[in-house]
Structures are given as C-alpha cells and as structure tokens.
Amino acid sequence: INDAKDAGADAADDASTGGTGPVLVCDPRPPVIDPTAIIDDMEDRDGALTYTSGRNGGWWIATDETASGTIEPRQPIPEAILEGRCGSEYAMRVTGQGFDHWGVVFGLNLVYSANGVAPHDASFRQGIRFWARVGDTSTRRILFNIGDYHAITDAGYCEVMADCFTYEVTLSQLGTSWTQYQIPFAALVHPTEDNPNEPLDPSQLYSLTFYIHDRAVFDFWVDDLEFY
C-alpha cells in the first residue's frame, strides 16, 4: 500500500540512532508536473487548496478537546521550510501534545458546495503523492486516511458516523528526513458486510487526513500533495 520513496534511504534508522539522516539531493532536472494534479503546494501561504479542476477546498484541524491539550496553529497555515526543500519554500506544519481521548486529525476537504462538502472525481488518477517528515521529538506513528463516499453520512452509504469509515495507511519510514509517499488507489480496500475487500471509489473523494494518536507529542510536516 505504501510506496515510500526516501529523501534518504536511512530515514527509518534515524528513529533508533537519533541521527538526522542523509542530505536530500534534489534532481537538477525535475519532471514536468501536470498542473491540474496539484492539490496544494503550500506556496500561496494560506489554508486554501490550489484552485484547479474544481477543487476549492481547504485545510482544517480537529482535536478531542482535551482541556490540557496544546496545538499550533489552531487554523492551518503554511510555515517556511528552513533552507527550503527542492525548490519548495513552504509546507504545512502542526505541533502539539496532551490530547488524551482520541487525538488529533489534520487534513483537508477537496470540494465545498452550498450544501457543505462535496465529492471530487479523481477516477482517472492512480493515487495520491506527497512529502512528509517529523521533528526530532515527534511521534512517528501517524496515519494517512482517504475519505470517499464511505466516510460521509450525506453520501448515502452510512447514516451515522459510527458506520462510516476511511481508507487508512500507516506512514512507514516516517522520520526527520523528508520522504515522499505514493499511495495507489487500487491498493486500498476495507472489509464490509457486503464485500471483504470493499475498494476505495476515487470517483467520489471527499477528504485527505492525517491522524495523530492520543497521548502523542507531535511535530508533523507535509508538503506538495498531488494526484498522479
């Protein structure tokens, strides 16, 4: 499910050795990127997605509201990357600790309509790609979730949130070095009463989120989300 492309092949070893990982070497001839594939490159320095292909959504943060929990920022806004990363100068970052019930969800909705969140058709795409890293003292246990019509009560699959679900992937090799993740839609399945391998439906995508578990200290960065 996870095709993690190292920004240094030893990112996983950093967790045990405490090292900073290898220096990221940027391709001097980067590939041409389809401009309609970009979800958000963060360079506009706001909480809205890159407006293209009808995607007019934005970033948000939800917590379990533990009174002693701390999180920054409360409203997502890109932060400058120290010394940049392969031409990228800004990334989304969220830091905090002390949430003891279920934790924190940090993510985005792809499309908004007059009635609230709406689906986006990405059926002609293969999957989602992005870069991520954590700070020195952060948990490395972070999950990436894709929400299609199975995740939204208004979409007709589930009537109550307890019956809804997203497609979940653990970010393996997450460390202090930037690592690129490539998540293919075709590899994502979830067991249901009707189908033990219920597939993700990329023609009805609603959200992309990162889940940080309860009682975690976290310092998480994400950059250059795009379809491929």
Side-chain angles (χ1 to χ4, degrees), residues 69-93:
T70 61
I71 190 167
E72 291 292 338
R74 282 287 177 176
Q75 295 295 325
I77 188 168
E79 182 171 324
I81 303 172
L82 183 63
E83 299 181 356
R85 180 196 59 76
C86 296
S88 179
E89 297 183 0
Y90 289 85
M92 281 294 183
R93 182 188 189 188

Side-chain angles (χ1 to χ4, degrees), residues 188-212:
L188 298 174
V189 297
H190 189 284
T192 66
E193 291 183 1
D194 298 325
N195 186 350
N197 295 302
E198 183 77 22
L200 173 80
D201 183 354
S203 73
Q204 300 184 65
L205 297 187
Y206 285 83
S207 64
L208 308 176
T209 58
F210 299 90
Y211 169 64
I212 302 166

Side-chain angles (χ1 to χ4, degrees), residues 45-60:
R45 309 181 196 179
D46 63 27
L49 305 186
T50 301
Y51 185 75
T52 183
S53 300
R55 295 189 292 276
N56 64 347
W59 290 84
W60 49 267

Side-chain angles (χ1 to χ4, degrees), residues 83-179:
E83 299 181 356
R85 180 196 59 76
C86 296
S88 179
E89 297 183 0
Y90 289 85
M92 281 294 183
R93 182 188 189 188
V94 62
T95 65
Q97 60 183 321
F99 294 95
D100 297 333
H101 180 41
W102 53 259
V104 173
V105 176
F106 170 56
L108 59 89
N109 292 325
L110 292 165
V111 179
Y112 293 129
S113 71
N115 297 319
V117 294
H120 174 68
D121 184 357
S123 57
F124 63 101
R125 306 290 188 181
Q126 297 180 57
I128 302 288
R129 189 159 49 208
F130 58 88
W131 291 83
R133 67 176 292 264
V134 293
D136 292 336
T137 61
S138 175
T139 179
R140 287 164 165 77
R141 182 185 163 198
I142 294 177
L143 304 179
F144 175 64
N145 299 270
I146 301 179
D148 67 355
Y149 74 92
H150 295 97
I152 304 294
T153 54
D154 292 343
Y157 173 78
C158 47
E159 295 182 357
V160 295
M161 286 304 297
D163 296 329
C164 300
F165 63 86
T166 60
Y167 290 82
E168 179 180 289
V169 174
T170 299
L171 297 185
S172 63
Q173 303 183 41
L174 188 61
T176 55
S177 297
W178 284 103
T179 299

